């Protein structure tokens, strides 16, 4: 991971907000989905790889004056669960050429931004070879800007938005948002000294805040899921909760149907619609991702750290046939579990 520290700056948000110690830019190449999740500062996230093949990802992250701009790319479909930084609101925009992506049950396309309020769980299913850009701004700063632009009365009404939501298509503003994000990240990487003066950071910060404010206009918010989509989201959530609570036990389709209070057919449709995989395929992916996490943890701690070998990890997550586990693991991650365990280091490569 490459990190560039910039001169300290006063916070743009209201007094009392938790500051970053100093503005900085970082860029990380990753070879594991969960390593990518951990690379985004101040977010609580968990990633599971869904599509088959070796994972390759890139994350850029610029933070200054309580603002955060990021761009992440990956070559595989990933299920992202998490919550954003406390006290912030985020606008994200995905870009992909093929496949499907969804956010909290909504199907999204490259022209559809998403909105995330702080401390609220969200779920994003990415398409393979997808880029996601995001701008995260303190809610208090946006409220203050809205009051200046629209007046206190209109600003108060404008900010009655859902805690997680899909926004109206941007149209021409999509390219403006992409250019603004790219310019901010390029400054952090190539010309960090230009962000040293407080006036320069304030100018950039106001441009970013205004871009987010325009996305969150009341007429741009799509608050409600269609009834069928809401039902499928609930089914997937209940089934996944059961899988996670009983991950080390034998789980059958009837178990999932009972946990989700639904039929076998509705369960199948819900998973294929939201995650693009069947319930049993997702269960296998979830367990393989957990096994990979354990193997990477052992690899990073080195020999003698405990936790057992490949066979112990496989058995822990319900894989009793070691050769079948190795084959499934290689099909999903592009390498044998023994190769993961033998690395002896975390799966994040520094950039020079």
């Amino acid at each position: 991971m490459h990190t560039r520290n910039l001169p300290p700056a006063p916070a743009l948000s209201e007094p009392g907000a938790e500051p970053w110690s100093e503005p900085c830019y970082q860029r990380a190449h990753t070879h594991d989905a969960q390593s990518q999740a951990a690379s985004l500062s101040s977010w609580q996230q968990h990633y599971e790889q869904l599509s088959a093949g070796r994972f390759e990802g890139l994350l850029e992250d610029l933070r200054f004056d309580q603002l955060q701009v990021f761009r992440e790319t990956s070559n595989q479909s990933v299920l992202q669960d998490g919550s954003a930084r406390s006290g912030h609101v985020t606008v994200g925009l995905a870009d992909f050429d093929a496949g499907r992506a969804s956010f909290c049950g909504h199907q999204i396309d490259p022209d559809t931004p998403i909105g995330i309020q702080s401390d609220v769980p969200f779920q994003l299913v990415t398409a393979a070879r997808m880029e996601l850009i995001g701008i995260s701004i303190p809610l208090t700063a946006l409220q203050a800007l809205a009051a200046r632009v629209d007046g206190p009365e209109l600003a108060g009404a404008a900010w009655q938005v859902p805690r997680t939501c899909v926004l109206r298509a941007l149209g021409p503003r999509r390219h403006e948002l992409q250019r603004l994000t790219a310019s901010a990240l390029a400054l952090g990487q190539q010309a960090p000294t230009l962000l040293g003066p407080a006036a320069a950071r304030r100018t950039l910060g106001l441009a970013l805040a205004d871009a987010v404010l325009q996305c969150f206009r009341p007429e741009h918010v799509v608050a409600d899921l269609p009834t069928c989509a809401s039902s499928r989201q609930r089914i997937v959530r209940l089934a996944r909760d059961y899988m996670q609570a009983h991950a080390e036990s034998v789980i059958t389709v009837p178990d999932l149907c009972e946990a989700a209070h639904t039929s076998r057919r509705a369960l199948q449709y819900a998973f294929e619609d939201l995650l693009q995989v069947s319930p049993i395929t997702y269960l296998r992916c979830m367990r393989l991702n957990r096994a990979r996490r354990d193997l990477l943890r052992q690899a990073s701690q080195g020999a003698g750290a405990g936790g057992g070998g490949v066979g112990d990890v496989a058995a822990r997550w319900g894989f009793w046939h070691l050769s079948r586990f190795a084959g499934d693991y290689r099909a999903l991650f592009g390498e044998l579990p023994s190769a993961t365990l033998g690395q002896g280091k975390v799966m994040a490569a520094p950039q020079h």
Side-chain angles (χ1 to χ4, degrees):
M1 179 182 294
H2 175 71
T3 302
R4 232 180 248 259
N5 292 326
L6 308 176
L12 186 69
S13 59
E14 292 291 321
E18 178 189 354
W20 280 293
S21 58
E22 57 185 2
C24 69
Y25 167 87
Q26 69 179 21
R27 179 184 177 95
H29 284 286
T30 60
H31 305 285
D32 173 71
Q34 185 56 31
S35 295
Q36 178 129 330
S39 297
L40 185 58
S41 302
S42 304
W43 290 57
Q44 302 297 319
Q45 297 191 105
H46 176 76
Y47 287 8
E48 292 176 345
Q49 181 177 332
L50 297 179
S51 62
R54 187 180 296 272
F55 183 91
E56 298 288 342
L58 173 66
L59 178 74
E60 293 181 88
D61 181 16
L62 172 65
R63 308 183 303 279
F64 68 97
D65 297 1
Q66 294 292 311
L67 281 73
Q68 183 176 32
V69 183
F70 63 88
R71 176 169 55 206
E72 67 170 307
T73 61
S74 64
N75 65 336
Q76 301 297 341
S77 175
V78 174
L79 171 58
Q80 304 182 3
D81 290 299
S83 59
R85 185 175 186 245
S86 179
H88 284 57
V89 61
T90 301
V91 163
L93 184 63
D95 192 10
F96 54 97
D97 295 325
R100 298 168 60 196
S102 66
F103 175 71
C104 295
H106 292 268
Q107 296 297 321
I108 59 174
D109 60 43
D111 198 38
T112 306
I114 59 176
I116 305 173
Q117 293 276 15
S118 65
D119 302 319
V120 178
F122 67 86
Q123 182 185 95
L124 174 66
V125 182
T126 72
R129 298 178 179 83
M130 186 172 112
E131 175 185 89
L132 178 68
I133 61 173
I135 304 173
S136 186
I137 306 286
L139 180 59
T140 50
L142 282 174
Q143 289 171 330
L145 179 60
R148 291 175 59 193
V149 172
D150 299 325
E153 296 80 9
L154 291 177
W159 282 95
Q160 301 301 314
V161 297
R163 296 187 296 175
T164 58
C165 59
V166 168
L167 306 169
R168 299 291 182 190
L170 289 175
R173 292 187 297 118
R174 171 193 174 194
H175 300 292
E176 296 174 11
L177 188 64
Q178 290 173 321
R179 283 195 296 269
L180 180 59
T181 304
S183 297
L185 292 170
L187 277 175
Q189 181 185 20
Q190 301 170 12
T193 56
L194 295 181
L195 288 175
R201 295 195 301 278
R202 178 172 174 78
T203 299
L204 178 58
L206 287 174
L208 293 166
D210 186 60
V212 174
L213 180 64
Q214 296 306 315
C215 289
F216 271 106
R217 293 294 184 191
E219 63 271 21
H220 295 161
V221 175
V222 182
D224 298 324
L225 276 171
T227 302
C228 62
S230 179
S231 176
R232 289 178 180 179
Q233 184 186 31
R234 178 189 61 81
I235 289 170
V236 169
R237 175 178 55 81
L238 291 174
R240 289 186 67 218
D241 286 347
Y242 183 88
M243 292 179 190
Q244 291 166 4
H246 302 84
E248 300 180 27
S249 305
V250 175
I251 298 176
T252 66
V253 169
D255 293 332
L256 298 177
C257 292
E258 183 178 8
H261 312 293
T262 192
S263 68
R264 180 187 295 262
R265 177 176 294 182
L267 181 74
Q268 184 82 11
Y269 285 165
F271 271 81
E272 290 181 348
D273 182 47
L274 295 185
L275 304 186
Q276 290 99 65
V277 294
S278 71
I280 295 303
T281 299
Y282 171 74
L283 176 61
R284 182 170 63 250
C285 285
M286 183 198 75
R287 285 173 161 164
L288 288 169
N289 275 274
R290 292 194 176 198
R292 181 173 178 81
R293 182 185 59 190
D294 285 355
L295 292 171
L296 286 170
R297 184 182 300 116
Q298 290 186 39
S300 67
Q301 293 171 348
V310 171
D312 292 328
V313 170
R316 184 179 309 136
W317 296 111
F319 297 99
W320 306 109
H321 301 281
L322 192 55
S323 61
R324 185 177 301 171
F325 167 69
D328 289 345
Y329 188 98
R330 185 174 185 175
L332 183 58
F333 300 119
E335 65 182 21
L336 289 170
S338 57
T340 303
L341 186 59
Q343 291 173 52
K345 58 183 179 181
V346 295
M347 300 283 287
Q351 168 141 351
H352 302 287

